[in-house]
Amino acid sequence: MNGMSARRDAIRAITDYNPGHTPLNFGDTSFTEIFGCNVFNDKAMRERLPQNVYTSLKKTIELGEKLDPSVADIVAKAMKDWALEKGATHFTHVFYPLTGLTAEKHDSFLVPDGQGGAVAEFSGKMLIKGESDASCFPSGGLRATFEARGYTAWDVTSPAYILENPNGTFLCIPTVFVSWTGEALDKKTPLLRSLQALNKQAQRVLRIFGVATKLPIICYAGVEQEYFLIDRNFVFARPDLLISGRTLFGAKPAKGQEFEDQYYGVTPRRVMSFMMEVDRELFKLGIPVKTRHNEVAPSQFEIAPIYEQGNLATDHNQLVMSVLRSVAKRYGMVCLLHEKPFAGINGSGKHLNYSIGNNEVGCLFDPGDTPHENAQFLVFCAAMLRAVHKYGPLLRATVASAANDHRLGGYEAPPAIMSVYLGEQLTEVFEQIKKGKVKGLKRKDTMHIGVDTLPPLPIDPGDRNRTSPFAFTGNRFEFRAVGSSMSVAGAQVALNTILAESLDYIATTLEEALQDGQSNLHAAVQNLLQKIMLEHEAIIFNGDGYSKKWHEEAENRGLANIKTTPEALPMLSAASTIAVFTKYGVLSETELRSRQEIYLEQYCKTIETEANLMLHLAKTVIFPASFRYQNELAQACANMLAIGKEYGTTTLDQLTANLRGMQKVTYALQDLMDGDRGQTDLEQAQFYCQTILPAMSEVRKHADLLESIIADDLWPLPSYQEMLFIR
Ligand code: ADP
Ligand code: MG
């Protein structure tokens, strides 16, 4: 398929598009009824479990108490009956290996009954523990190949659910994935460990404030997911998009996103149908999707559920990504989750809205009405500031990937410098604390919007600063550097752990200050906050994170600006990281080192694949198209000469020069790929970063020049213009 026919087919797909296969509204079932219908949730458990088993299980889910293994058989039976009623034939432990993807291995419920028939069986043992060959998942040297066993273990805090397929359904059980020696091979295990660490330290601080809660303090995550939708005909005609998820070639279109006419614009009909079906599918899975809208770039969109407990929100985001992908196919489109599918057009991120608290104490990042009086809020807020300042480079490492490097530090996403946006009001509070006395502040201002019929709007305490990687937005922090295709587990693991460390420091300091029983809590808090401000105020930045000036200032403030993955990842095995992760039992040194190795390897493989694809496309697609056009031009010149007319060869000359240039840089890239790429993972990653990527961008530059002069009907790859604007 070439660009021309892909274009024709894409246009036909839109004009012929007639959704009929699924109801586009909720028909006779209201969405409140659909919500959670495929989840073994609280309602299902209450209905189906004996009271004592239900209570015991709830204690594990809500209070974090140890699971009583004796309930497993009863839960398994109830779960199986429920699943069979929903048409399930199989069950699978679902786990989250370090590839960032979701993994599953199906087993049938079916067991022969010994008399030629079969029965459905699912025991407590099968629910709690699964064994799977781990040798095909990255382990970073954690597991010798002769001992390839890996275990999955039921995560009681994330409910089981049913996935549908036109040919049936199956039961999915969220699990952790560990090696036979108990080392974490996945993203969930450290997340659960970090939640325990966070709870312990947050409770200490709360106790000092006289707050007791029997519920654990947890983190909440609200995950805004950005994505592109492209007609699949184009993707079939673009091996680069198909294989690597991004366009390795593509001249800048005449119109890009500069008209600013896309953000919140009216969604095209086919896309809206897609969004409605996505919402419906996610509702069934109990995922509270709330917002959907057009994003800044053409054909870019966003979906955001309401925030939930961090571990659940993480599992749900994995489901959101897979539902987006699979529903897109039903509408003749491909959902691109890559961080930078199109050069020169905004990439996609995943904002992680993060807060801590529980149902009893509420949200601990919520200032209430008078922030300066709310000492407890200020303490938790200061803990976060201190953590991000102390461990900024580590946070940067949690969002490092080959794909996200294309986005971070461009003028569309937060820079690779970690800083915190606090907003004017809160910054003023902390400024006064630093100076030693908190006076009454200006009353909360109202904003005048110049239309008398509208009420004055209160200024959002965290007004919209889109350029900050870590912004306080009223009752939460928004970490904006996560890439659109990434799991949100890694960032939360780091945030929970470094916040636990800060809270530990705060609790210890306050406990010491209050030891004599005489000292006053408010004075102790004031002293502590002042100290934190004096040491960590450099992390606060409310200005424009995209500006050049900030890059200079950040350097003066000693804030790291880590631009690439090979520079960022070594942070995972830095002494400070090992110290904090081992102290709170989140990841051991071996586990950290294995993660670093795996992520470096992934970085290398990504770029290796892209470079190979690029070479292949250059030689088999772009050269032939160029020669064909060269031939046509040469023929035209020859024809003119034959009838005695001199014909200028400007276009031919230009084409020939560009083609020569293209050949030169392509073979230069080929030579580099054939040569020595270094020994260790880190050396190889550095080689890809410093040598291969620049060589690839040379190839792209030449190819894009060719695209801009070669006859449209001869250029085989769909153009940016058609991919982004035919929808
Ligand atoms: P915006 O695009 O303006 O940042 P959205 O409404 O798209 O806002 O997304 C905000 C996200 O933050 C939602 O997922 C929302 O549920 C979540 N959120 C709101 N309050 C909290 C909180 N206290 N903790 C974590 N997430 C929150
Ligand atoms: Mg948003």
Side-chain angles (χ1 to χ4, degrees):
M1 195 186 310
N2 66 23
M4 288 288 274
S5 67
R7 184 189 307 158
R8 251 194 332 266
D9 292 344
I11 293 169
R12 196 172 306 134
I14 296 165
T15 42
D16 292 355
Y17 154 69
N18 189 3
H21 65 291
T22 42
L24 283 177
N25 50 41
F26 288 96
D28 30 285
T29 333
S30 74
F31 65 88
T32 45
E33 250 170 81
I34 284 181
F35 190 81
C37 69
N38 279 348
V39 185
F40 194 66
N41 53 15
D42 189 66
K43 181 164 167 278
M45 287 195 287
R46 212 170 335 118
E47 280 168 11
R48 288 164 185 271
L49 295 175
Q51 182 62 42
N52 62 330
V53 174
Y54 172 76
T55 314
S56 158
L57 204 59
K58 281 301 264 191
K59 276 192 184 149
T60 308
I61 296 170
E62 277 172 9
L63 306 180
E65 287 182 12
K66 263 206 156 39
L67 175 73
D68 171 6
S70 72
V71 305
D73 273 326
I74 302 163
V75 179
K77 175 157 188 323
M79 212 186 259
K80 179 196 73 185
D81 292 345
W82 174 81
L84 293 182
E85 280 167 33
K86 301 228 164 246
T89 52
H90 288 65
F91 70 94
T92 172
H93 278 196
V94 173
F95 54 102
Y96 308 93
L98 295 175
T99 51
L101 303 173
T102 306
E104 49 188 57
K105 172 186 157 235
H106 293 209
D107 278 302
S108 156
F109 286 123
L110 191 131
V111 179
D113 65 2
Q115 280 138 24
V119 288
E121 191 190 88
F122 186 55
S123 66
K125 229 178 92 205
M126 292 150 106
L127 167 63
I128 287 187
K129 189 170 144 190
E131 192 178 323
S132 73
D133 184 343
S135 59
C136 294
F137 292 101
S139 73
L142 270 185
R143 182 206 51 233
T145 27
F146 59 83
E147 196 23 297
R149 261 180 304 158
Y151 292 105
T152 51
W154 182 29
D155 170 16
V156 190
T157 59
S158 182
Y161 54 90
I162 295 273
L163 281 186
E164 297 174 8
N165 176 285
N167 277 346
T169 72
F170 52 97
L171 172 69
C172 299
I173 301 154
T175 60
V176 298
F177 181 45
V178 294
S179 74
W180 66 289
T181 43
E183 273 136 342
L185 296 175
D186 69 344
K187 303 240 171 199
K188 191 190 264 288
T189 308
L191 181 54
L192 295 176
R193 292 178 186 157
S194 72
L195 281 163
Q196 284 186 1
L198 173 71
N199 174 44
K200 196 165 158 202
Q201 303 307 329
Q203 296 273 8
R204 282 178 64 204
V205 173
L206 284 176
R207 267 198 298 278
I208 296 173
F209 281 93
V211 179
T213 168
K214 43 179 205 314
L215 297 178
I217 297 297
I218 53 174
C219 77
Y220 293 105
V223 187
E224 301 167 53
Q225 174 76 52
E226 292 178 342
Y227 59 93
F228 279 86
L229 284 176
I230 302 297
D231 190 281
R232 68 169 177 182
N233 292 296
F234 294 134
V235 179
F236 293 153
R238 295 272 331 203
D240 48 355
L241 262 188
L242 191 70
I243 302 300
S244 71
R246 76 174 177 112
T247 50
L248 299 170
F249 300 108
K252 199 174 165 345
K255 180 183 170 185
Q257 59 190 50
E258 49 287 270
F259 286 88
E260 296 173 344
D261 53 356
Q262 155 82 7
Y263 193 60
Y264 285 1
V266 176
T267 307
R269 198 171 89 104
R270 178 165 60 151
V271 174
M272 186 45 85
S273 305
F274 154 87
M275 286 179 169
M276 287 175 167
E277 188 164 337
V278 165
D279 282 0
R280 187 188 163 89
E281 291 300 321
L282 293 175
F283 279 157
K284 287 194 222 165
L285 293 167
I287 301 175
V289 268
K290 180 88 176 159
T291 28
R292 55 187 190 206
H293 62 79
N294 284 13
E295 259 303 327
V296 172
S299 290
Q300 191 189 31
F301 307 93
E302 180 183 301
I303 181 170
I306 297 170
Y307 68 98
E308 300 176 281
Q309 198 263 69
N311 174 42
L312 190 59
T314 304
D315 290 358
H316 280 173
N317 179 250
Q318 297 290 123
L319 278 169
V320 166
M321 291 194 284
S322 70
V323 167
L324 284 173
R325 282 197 179 103
S326 72
V327 174
K329 283 186 198 147
R330 290 180 222 160
Y331 290 84
M333 299 184 287
V334 171
C335 173
L336 300 174
L337 292 170
H338 192 283
E339 280 73 4
K340 192 75 178 174
F342 303 97
I345 302 284
N346 265 26
S348 300
K350 175 139 64 189
H351 295 176
L352 170 64
N353 292 271
Y354 174 87
S355 68
I356 62 171
N358 67 29
N359 279 340
E360 276 176 6
V361 302
C363 172
L364 295 172
F365 290 149
D366 195 332
D369 287 333
T370 52
H372 59 300
E373 281 169 14
N374 194 336
Q376 183 186 301
F377 158 71
L378 290 176
V379 162
F380 280 98
C381 196
M384 196 75 256
L385 286 179
R386 178 181 175 277
V388 177
H389 188 225
K390 241 184 120 174
Y391 297 101
L394 169 61
L395 268 186
R396 167 67 182 92
T398 66
V399 296
S401 76
N404 213 19
D405 279 1
H406 295 295
R407 191 179 77 93
L408 292 180
Y411 292 94
E412 50 170 294
I417 307 164
M418 290 300 142
S419 67
V420 180
Y421 170 87
L422 272 190
E424 228 178 280
Q425 214 183 359
L426 205 49
T427 307
E428 193 188 339
V429 176
F430 276 112
E431 273 301 314
Q432 292 198 14
I433 288 170
K434 191 183 79 182
K435 291 193 188 117
K437 45 178 179 263
V438 182
K439 296 194 301 273
L441 288 159
K442 300 183 240 151
R443 273 198 59 77
K444 229 184 193 177
D445 289 340
T446 47
M447 189 168 69
H448 290 285
I449 36 193
V451 180
D452 293 337
T453 52
L454 291 176
L457 297 175
I459 292 184
D460 186 343
D463 66 359
R464 300 290 162 201
N465 180 320
R466 295 271 162 202
T467 67
S468 173
F470 206 85
F472 182 70
T473 51
N475 62 354
R476 61 193 184 268
F477 287 93
E478 189 171 340
F479 186 35
R480 301 200 178 113
V482 186
S484 48
S485 70
M486 288 179 169
S487 157
V488 281
Q492 282 176 87
V493 170
L495 287 172
N496 291 342
T497 310
I498 63 181
L499 186 56
E501 191 271 342
S502 265
L503 293 170
D504 183 359
Y505 163 80
I506 285 172
T508 309
T509 313
L510 290 178
E511 279 161 7
E512 274 167 17
L514 299 171
Q515 228 169 26
D516 53 14
Q518 310 282 311
S519 310
N520 148 324
L521 174 64
H522 277 262
V525 166
Q526 160 66 31
N527 286 343
L528 172 75
L529 291 179
Q530 186 176 25
K531 185 159 185 282
I532 292 181
M533 271 306 280
L534 288 169
E535 286 170 10
H536 301 288
E537 68 175 332
I539 196 70
I540 302 172
F541 177 65
N542 294 328
D544 178 3
Y546 296 174
S547 71
K548 248 206 151 65
K549 249 179 71 193
W550 168 234
H551 287 232
E552 288 157 21
E553 191 186 326
E555 203 181 330
N556 292 335
R557 291 191 191 185
L559 301 178
N561 183 0
I562 306 170
K563 296 206 179 82
T564 67
T565 295
E567 290 169 274
L569 283 179
M571 223 26 236
L572 293 183
S573 62
S576 60
T577 306
I578 294 173
V580 68
F581 274 86
T582 51
K583 178 164 181 196
Y584 298 100
V586 176
L587 284 168
S588 69
E589 177 171 348
T590 336
E591 287 170 328
L592 280 165
R593 286 191 190 283
S594 81
R595 262 151 227 260
Q596 175 177 318
E597 190 184 316
I598 289 164
Y599 298 149
L600 281 170
E601 222 174 83
Q602 271 168 3
Y603 177 84
C604 295
K605 282 183 189 154
T606 304
I607 301 178
E608 181 183 16
T609 308
E610 290 180 351
N612 285 334
L613 255 173
M614 193 166 220
L615 289 170
H616 183 75
L617 281 176
K619 292 179 200 163
T620 63
V621 173
I622 296 176
F623 290 170
S626 309
F627 288 128
R628 275 182 206 130
Y629 189 47
Q630 196 179 38
N631 213 16
E632 278 189 15
L633 289 173
Q635 191 61 55
C637 294
N639 292 349
M640 293 302 272
L641 269 180
I643 55 167
K645 293 217 164 74
E646 185 63 44
Y647 190 74
T649 57
T650 330
T651 316
L652 181 56
D653 288 344
Q654 196 192 356
L655 174 73
T656 307
N658 282 346
L659 180 53
R660 288 229 169 94
M662 175 73 184
Q663 285 171 310
K664 202 174 132 218
V665 292
T666 302
Y667 290 108
L669 175 61
Q670 180 73 70
D671 285 345
L672 289 170
M673 289 295 288
D674 291 341
D676 177 25
R677 300 184 208 166
Q679 294 301 310
T680 66
D681 288 317
L682 184 59
E683 279 167 19
Q684 289 185 17
Q686 286 163 342
F687 172 75
Y688 279 109
C689 179
Q690 293 157 15
T691 310
I692 296 298
L693 283 179
M696 284 171 69
S697 79
E698 277 303 299
V699 175
R700 176 175 191 143
K701 210 165 71 197
H702 284 81
D704 292 356
L705 272 174
L706 287 169
E707 180 183 345
S708 66
I709 55 170
I710 285 180
D712 187 53
D713 61 332
L714 292 179
W715 189 257
L717 302 172
S719 70
Y720 268 33
Q721 192 153 299
E722 44 205 16
M723 284 189 287
L724 291 166
F725 289 97
I726 298 181
R727 52 198 143 133

